[in-house]
Amino acid sequence: AQSVTQLDSQVPVFEEAPVELRCNYSSSVSVYLFWYVQYPNQGLQLLLKYLSGSTLVESINGFEAEFNKSQTSFHLRKPSVHISDTAEYFCAVSERAGGTSYGKLTFGQGTILTVHP
Amino acid sequence: NAGVTQTPKFRILKIGQSMTLQCTQDMNHNYMYWYRQDPGMGLKLIYYSVGAGITDKGEVPNGYNVSRSTTEDFPLRLELAAPSQTSVYFCASSGTGTGLYEQYFGPGTRLTVT
């Protein structure tokens, strides 16, 4: 079984400031890692994922996350945020189980990022 | 492509009533999922399906049932609605290979049970 802890429920920042949203996970097996974003009154969208290879992964809109196996973390960062980044962000994990995980996701509690002008 | 569609968008039920939340995807995905989202709790998996005719329980299946008669449709049934089932429900789907690990979500159904 896995669990995901997002350490901040709300993060307020000013526009153009850097931001870090923290995510730690616990699992008895190897996992894949994800960040999803949910804009107000919408479903979730995949922001970025770590499956293998480089531990630093990037999204098309400037976010990046780094897989740290020793610290079991997958923190999300952006060097300069925009008003349009205001949303709720969810960290999630899925077991690397040779296909028998069926892609099931375990989500963290979510972090509401609010970008102020 | 419409992606994943859900109906209705909103619903108010009285305790003990039943209803079906509809979910359809047009991406020919084998895998489909139902989650519920409660404030500050993230999303919890209710049921999932790996293909037509095959379903299994997730983390919080009590009070719900599902069926998967076609690849496209994955309805979620609430038989005896209870206030604890007040939530936002999301359906999702994913493909195969590495696509298994990219879930596409519908817009959600907001359900209130009073």
Side-chain angles (χ1 to χ4, degrees), chain A residues 32 34 36 38 90 102-103 108, chain B residues 33 37 42 90 101 103 105-106:
Chain A
Y32 297 122
F34 309 85
Y36 280 81
Q38 183 180 32
F90 293 93
Y102 306 119
Chain B
Y33 314 86
Q37 182 183 24
F90 288 100
Y101 299 103
Q103 292 189 15
F105 283 78

Side-chain angles (χ1 to χ4, degrees), chain A residues 16-35:
Chain A
E16 298 184 6
V19 70
E20 178 180 77
L21 307 183
R22 297 179 293 167
C23 172
N24 287 95
Y25 69 92
S26 172
S27 177
S28 57
V29 299
S30 296
V31 295
Y32 297 122
L33 295 150
F34 309 85
W35 277 98

Side-chain angles (χ1 to χ4, degrees), chain B residues 28-45:
Chain B
N28 201 32
H29 284 168
N30 286 334
Y31 297 85
M32 295 188 75
Y33 314 86
W34 274 106
Y35 295 92
R36 59 176 288 171
Q37 182 183 24
D38 300 297
M41 302 292 288
L43 282 77
K44 304 289 186 187
L45 181 65

Side-chain angles (χ1 to χ4, degrees), chain A residues 32 34 36 38 41-44 46 49 51 88 90 94-97 99 101-105 107-110, chain B residues 31 33 35 37 40-45 48 50 57 90 94 98 100-108 110:
Chain A
Y32 297 122
F34 309 85
Y36 280 81
Q38 183 180 32
N41 299 313
Q42 294 186 24
L44 280 70
L46 181 65
K49 61 187 176 187
L51 301 184
E88 189 162 14
F90 293 93
S94 181
E95 283 187 12
R96 290 177 181 250
S101 73
Y102 306 119
K104 291 180 291 180
L105 294 171
F107 285 89
Q109 302 91 329
Chain B
Y31 297 85
Y33 314 86
Y35 295 92
Q37 182 183 24
M41 302 292 288
L43 282 77
K44 304 289 186 187
L45 181 65
Y48 67 99
V50 302
K57 297 177 181 178
F90 288 100
S94 62
T98 56
L100 173 63
Y101 299 103
E102 180 169 353
Q103 292 189 15
Y104 292 81
F105 283 78
R110 186 174 295 274

